[in-house]
């Protein structure tokens, strides 16, 4: 079979054909619309999600800052640290917020840190302890993964809806064929099934 014949067969729903039914044309348009919606909708959703994640990361970076905190009580010894760099324990620290209020809370401090020593902690705009902001590489990964997942889910939802619509059209086509076979068989006096 030549390549041009395959293309002709592949596009039969779009050409004039005595065997083509209205449900075939509807199915062709549903599939085309579904693929376009999956591609364009997935791309748009991915870009919007990536932008939202990027804004959240930038907001976290803008609101977070490091301040010096004073260890209030002697920090305990580490309890079976997993690695040599895992020598941080929970200890009581005190720091002053940007509004001048003094805060006192548990934070990760070096093991056996004496009372009165200073450590750096991350605080948000209100002066409460927070996690350090994500690094540039982590921000890029969060943005890329958020955008990719949103795009994949949106495209998958569009293709799933297209598949459901095709299933409904197939059921309708089978009912139509069954009715036509019944009409043809009874006219000739035959019975199918």
């Amino acid at each position: 079979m030549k390549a041009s014949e395959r293309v002709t067969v592949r596009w039969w729903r779009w050409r004039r054909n005595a065997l083509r039914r209205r449900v075939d044309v509807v199915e062709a348009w549903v599939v085309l619309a579904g693929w376009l919606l999956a591609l364009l909708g997935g791309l748009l959703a991915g870009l919007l999600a990536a932008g939202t994640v990027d804004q959240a990361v930038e907001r976290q970076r803008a609101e977070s800052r490091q301040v010096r905190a004073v260890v209030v009580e002697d920090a305990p010894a580490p309890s079976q640290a997993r690695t040599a760099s895992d020598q941080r324990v929970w200890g009581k620290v005190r720091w002053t917020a940007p509004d001048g209020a003094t805060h006192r809370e548990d934070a990760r401090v070096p093991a056996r840190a004496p009372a009165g020593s200073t450590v750096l902690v991350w605080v948000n705009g209100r002066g409460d302890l927070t996690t350090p902001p994500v690094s540039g590489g982590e921000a890029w990964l969060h943005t890329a993964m958020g955008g990719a997942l949103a795009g994949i889910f949106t495209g998958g939802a569009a293709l799933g809806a297209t598949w459901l619509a095709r299933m409904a059209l197939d059921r309708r086509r089978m009912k139509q064929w069954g009715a036509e076979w019944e009409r043809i068989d009874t006219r000739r006096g035959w019975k199918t099934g």
Side-chain angles (χ1 to χ4, degrees):
M1 181 181 283
K2 295 181 196 173
S4 63
E5 290 176 8
R6 271 185 273 152
V7 171
T8 304
V9 170
R10 200 174 280 165
W11 296 100
W12 72 273
R13 287 183 174 96
W14 298 97
R15 293 182 304 135
R16 292 208 175 273
N17 184 344
L19 299 176
R20 185 186 71 181
R21 298 163 193 237
R22 182 143 104 213
V23 73
D24 296 327
V25 175
V26 170
E27 180 182 11
W29 282 106
V30 164
V31 169
L32 178 66
W35 277 103
L36 285 175
L37 186 63
L39 293 173
L40 297 177
L43 179 64
L44 181 64
L47 290 174
L48 287 174
T52 302
V53 170
D54 193 39
Q55 287 175 356
V57 167
E58 289 303 319
R59 186 172 46 251
Q60 181 195 23
R61 283 184 179 167
E63 291 176 356
S64 300
R65 65 187 188 110
Q66 262 186 330
V67 296
R68 294 195 180 277
V70 177
V71 178
V72 177
E73 302 169 356
D74 290 341
S79 59
Q80 298 190 1
R82 292 182 295 267
T83 64
S85 64
D86 194 16
Q87 297 292 318
R88 297 183 72 77
V89 295
W90 289 100
K92 286 262 188 230
V93 295
R94 181 185 66 233
W95 71 95
T96 304
D99 63 358
T102 302
H103 291 267
R104 189 177 173 138
E105 202 172 325
D106 285 339
R108 300 288 283 177
V109 297
R112 297 186 187 96
S117 61
T118 60
V119 295
L120 293 174
V121 294
W122 285 93
V123 295
N124 60 17
R126 295 184 313 265
D128 298 328
L129 282 179
T130 186
T131 58
V134 295
S135 67
E138 290 172 329
W140 181 85
L141 180 65
H142 288 197
T143 302
M145 291 303 292
L149 288 174
I152 288 170
F153 286 143
T154 302
L159 290 178
T162 302
W163 179 75
L164 290 173
R166 285 190 70 192
M167 295 292 286
L169 290 170
D170 279 344
R171 267 189 252 113
R172 182 176 176 165
R173 184 178 313 140
M174 288 304 183
K175 284 180 184 177
Q176 287 175 348
W177 284 351
E180 287 181 23
W181 274 111
E182 186 69 30
R183 194 174 60 237
I184 289 171
D185 283 350
T186 54
R187 188 172 48 187
R188 293 188 180 166
W190 302 332
K191 278 288 190 193
T192 58

